[in-house]
């Protein structure tokens, strides 16, 4: 019986040690939560509205957090003709260019205005997409080669892409990779739309290289800088 009691004591001690070891391990859910929080990067936009009232908008992809006075609204992007419209079903934030307003969301669109005449404290006068243009072939281009780079709105699959910005670069003595900067008006950019960079190289007006894949930029988590690789076209008559 004594042996049995000792055995039970050993088992109990082992259970206590195991429990102590588990207590010393880091809490996995908290660590996972911290990793998720670090992954989300909110873009912050501070506004001054009528009467000097302050309003702050935080944007992440199709989500917006709007802080005004002592309230915070968590909203999702909704369909709109222009500008960035976000709603939680009761209140709508509508930002367009450097301005915006906060309003009660009603079916007729004529809800009570909460605050209007909001203007960005740091206006978005211009934006830019940067990158480089290159190709994989080991060859030099003539000095009269021209590189054409475009920022395109490719949101509509059944319609031609809309040109938002364009840059033409005379190659001269340079060789690839050649840097570019496409400057655009932020008021023309819709958060819900898709944008990409397209490029081509012409020599004596003849197309020699062009992009053969999409290089997404600006919205939906896409970057502001892309390195574009062009594909060489086969000479006319060669298959």
């Amino acid at each position: 019986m004594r042996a049995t009691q000792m055995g039970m004591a050993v088992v109990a001690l082992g259970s206590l040690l195991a429990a102590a070891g588990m207590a010393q391990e880091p809490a996995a859910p908290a660590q996972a939560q911290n990793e998720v929080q670090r992954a989300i990067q909110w873009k912050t936009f501070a506004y001054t509205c009528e009467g000097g009232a302050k309003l702050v908008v935080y944007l992440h992809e199709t989500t917006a957090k709007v802080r005004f006075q002592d309230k915070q609204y968590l909203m999702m992007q909704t369909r709109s003709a222009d500008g960035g419209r976000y709603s939680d079903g009761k209140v709508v934030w509508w930002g367009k260019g450097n301005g915006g307003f906060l309003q009660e969301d009603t079916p007729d669109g004529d809800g009570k205005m909460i605050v209007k005449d909001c203007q960005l404290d740091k206006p978005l006068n211009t934006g830019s997409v940067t990158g480089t243009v290159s190709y994989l072939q080991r060859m030099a281009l003539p000095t009269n080669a021209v590189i054409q780079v475009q920022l395109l709105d490719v949101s509509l699959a059944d319609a031609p892409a809309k040109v938002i910005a364009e840059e033409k670069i005379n190659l001269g003595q340079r060789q690839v990779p050649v840097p570019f900067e496409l400057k655009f008006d932020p008021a023309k950019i819709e958060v819900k739309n898709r944008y990409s960079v397209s490029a081509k190289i012409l020599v004596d007006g003849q197309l020699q290289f062009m992009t053969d894949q999409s290089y997404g930029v600006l919205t939906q988590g896409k970057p502001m800088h892309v390195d574009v690789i062009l594909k060489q076209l086969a000479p006319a008559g060669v298959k």
Side-chain angles (χ1 to χ4, degrees), residues 13 16 145 157 209 229 232:
L13 179 60
L16 289 172
F209 291 84
I229 305 297
Q232 185 178 24

Side-chain angles (χ1 to χ4, degrees), residues 146-167:
V146 176
I147 300 175
Q148 180 179 321
V149 190
Q150 293 180 325
L151 173 61
L152 304 173
D153 184 335
V154 294
S155 304
L156 301 178
D158 56 349
K162 179 181 178 181
V163 179
I164 303 298
E166 181 179 54
E167 182 181 13

Side-chain angles (χ1 to χ4, degrees), residues 131-147:
T132 61
V133 173
S134 186
Y135 51 80
L136 300 179
Q137 286 75 12
R138 292 175 176 251
M139 59 175 289
L141 289 171
T143 58
N144 65 334
V146 176
I147 300 175

Side-chain angles (χ1 to χ4, degrees), residues 15-189:
S15 299
L16 289 172
L17 290 173
M22 292 176 62
Q24 293 175 357
E25 293 180 359
Q31 181 180 1
Q33 184 178 3
N34 290 337
E35 289 177 355
V36 171
Q37 290 176 348
R38 285 195 297 268
I40 297 177
Q41 295 182 350
W42 296 91
K43 294 182 179 179
T44 305
F45 301 90
Y47 292 81
T48 299
C49 309
E50 61 175 345
K54 296 294 183 179
L55 180 145
V56 182
V57 178
Y58 304 89
L59 296 180
H60 175 71
E61 296 182 352
T62 59
T63 305
K65 291 190 297 185
V66 180
R67 289 183 179 177
F68 178 65
Q69 294 181 343
D70 59 346
K71 294 183 179 180
Q72 176 170 294
Y73 307 91
L74 182 61
M75 304 178 176
M76 297 300 296
Q77 186 181 13
T78 62
R79 186 181 298 274
S80 63
D82 57 4
R85 188 182 189 277
Y86 297 83
S87 175
D88 63 0
K90 297 181 179 180
V91 175
V92 58
W93 163 255
W94 204 322
K96 182 178 180 181
N98 292 320
F101 58 86
L102 194 64
Q103 182 183 24
E104 291 183 356
D105 196 358
T106 57
D108 60 4
D110 195 25
K112 179 182 177 182
M113 189 67 64
I114 299 173
V115 66
K116 61 182 180 179
D117 298 335
C118 299
Q119 294 294 321
L120 275 171
D121 293 344
K122 295 182 178 180
L124 299 174
N125 294 324
T126 59
S128 66
V129 171
T130 61
T132 61
V133 173
S134 186
Y135 51 80
L136 300 179
Q137 286 75 12
R138 292 175 176 251
M139 59 175 289
L141 289 171
T143 58
N144 65 334
V146 176
I147 300 175
Q148 180 179 321
V149 190
Q150 293 180 325
L151 173 61
L152 304 173
D153 184 335
V154 294
S155 304
L156 301 178
D158 56 349
K162 179 181 178 181
V163 179
I164 303 298
E166 181 179 54
E167 182 181 13
K168 290 185 178 180
I169 305 168
N170 295 317
L171 188 63
Q173 299 299 322
R174 293 176 292 183
Q175 293 298 327
V176 296
V178 176
F180 67 84
E181 181 179 13
L182 295 167
K183 295 183 179 181
F184 60 88
D185 179 0
K188 295 182 178 180
I189 302 300

Side-chain angles (χ1 to χ4, degrees), residues 3-21:
T4 301
Q5 291 176 342
M6 290 183 64
M8 294 176 63
V10 169
V11 172
L13 179 60
S15 299
L16 289 172
L17 290 173

